[in-house]
Amino acid sequence: MLYRIEYSYGPSAMRAFSAVAIFALLLASPFRVPAHAAGEGCAAAAWSLEADGAQLGAADLAHMPSGRLLEQPLPLAFALDLAPSERAGLPVAPERTGEGGAAGYVRLPAPTADGLLQVTLDQPAWIDLIAGGMPLKAVAFTGVRDCPLARKSVRFAVAAGAPLVLQISGTQAASVKLSISLLPAIK
């Protein structure tokens, strides 16, 4: 004896079934979007890190000892040699303190125009920018864990005529690669 069973699906059940079927097909599809195009990697940064990453990846990147006055014009990239935090002699206590780690600083000549000082690092670390003995607050930040070009980039609003001190802290590395550039002020 055969029984005939009839199913009645409403519009919401059909939509749910269709959505599940489409999702399953997309997962099985060989035409998936690459991970970096889906918002991961360097593309997930708030601004392009390509130019900074190219500078940080240069084979002839100079090493600078901590405490040095940089006299080269911006943009500039170099590797800053760090010391254990307790011996780094930072001019101002870091805004964030960690347990131990390494730190270092460089002095920058006063900018000739108001603008945004962008500092990009190849690894995680804390960045402090000091003007007139006072730490400046960052106006923008981007960081991407899985970007091979750069790990972190921070922007500070700077005024013409004020000498600056750039401090790096909170890392376990012996040196950190960094790129510094001055962008036009936002009007």
Side-chain angles (χ1 to χ4, degrees):
M1 179 186 286
L2 291 173
Y3 293 98
R4 184 171 180 199
I5 300 174
E6 290 186 28
Y7 293 99
S8 175
Y9 295 108
S12 61
M14 291 305 282
R15 278 193 299 266
F17 177 75
S18 297
V20 169
I22 290 170
F23 182 71
L25 286 172
L26 286 174
L27 284 177
S29 171
F31 302 106
R32 287 184 288 192
V33 177
H36 67 275
E40 295 180 21
C42 301
W47 53 82
S48 174
L49 298 174
E50 259 186 70
D52 294 335
Q55 288 180 322
L56 296 175
D60 60 346
L61 207 58
H63 276 262
M64 299 283 178
S66 181
R68 186 171 196 176
L69 171 64
L70 299 179
E71 297 177 9
Q72 299 88 338
L74 301 180
L76 178 65
F78 57 94
L80 177 62
D81 295 328
L82 306 174
S85 293
E86 60 276 1
R87 293 190 290 123
L90 298 178
V92 176
E95 192 168 319
R96 284 198 183 168
T97 56
E99 295 179 22
Y105 69 98
V106 291
R107 297 180 186 282
L108 303 169
T112 57
D114 293 354
L116 293 176
L117 190 80
Q118 179 173 302
V119 181
T120 303
L121 303 179
D122 71 330
Q123 58 192 285
W126 185 253
I127 301 169
D128 287 305
L129 187 64
I130 315 301
M134 301 298 295
L136 299 177
K137 295 286 183 197
V139 296
F141 162 89
T142 190
V144 186
R145 292 178 193 260
D146 56 349
C147 177
L149 302 175
R151 172 62 171 86
K152 178 179 189 174
S153 190
V154 180
R155 293 177 175 171
F156 299 90
V158 295
L164 304 168
V165 176
L166 175 64
Q167 298 183 160
I168 306 295
S169 60
T171 181
Q172 299 300 318
S175 70
V176 61
K177 293 179 183 177
L178 55 105
S179 167
I180 307 170
S181 55
L182 186 62
L183 308 172
I186 299 174
K187 306 245 181 199

